[in-house]
Amino acid sequence: MRKTLGLAIAAAVIGGCSLGAGHSGAIQMTTSGKIVETVNGQPVPESLLEAIARQHNLHLDKPGARDQALNLLTDMVIVAHAAQHEPFASDENYQADIEATRLKGDRKRHV
């Protein structure tokens, strides 16, 4: 249950980071680099895999770490995709939680 909740929160952050930015997929970032996999028809950029690895303190050059990061990322994209089709995504309180999480992440990057 704890792992599922953590994945749902992380997926919500990924799915909600750019609400209103014109992206409609679970991954809401512009990509121009290498694609490492496709999940539910959506390309997953290597830069996102690297970010997930950093967040989970995984070193992609170590055996098994890349597969672990890919599994985490795949789970997050699947949950984020499913969340887009649920009515709670349009709830103002849900959107406020996502925005607060995004702002917290912005603050961490700039402090």
Side-chain angles (χ1 to χ4, degrees), residues 27-47:
I27 297 173
Q28 308 234 334
M29 61 180 281
T30 304
T31 62
S32 59
K34 179 181 173 187
I35 302 301
V36 294
E37 68 176 344
T38 301
V39 178
N40 286 344
Q42 185 162 20
V44 177
E46 181 149 26
S47 59

Side-chain angles (χ1 to χ4, degrees), residues 20-21 25 32 36 38 45 48-49 54 58 60 67 70-71 74 83-85 91 96 100 104:
S32 59
V36 294
T38 301
L48 184 55
L49 175 66
R54 283 191 304 273
L58 296 170
L60 295 178
D67 287 341
L70 276 169
N71 287 336
T74 299
Q84 288 181 323
H85 302 290
D91 177 73
K104 180 180 177 183

Side-chain angles (χ1 to χ4, degrees), residues 85-107:
H85 302 290
E86 295 295 324
F88 67 84
S90 61
D91 177 73
E92 186 174 349
N93 289 330
Y94 171 80
Q95 290 178 3
D97 288 341
I98 296 302
E99 186 64 11
T101 302
R102 184 191 67 77
L103 291 171
K104 180 180 177 183
D106 285 348
R107 182 180 56 83

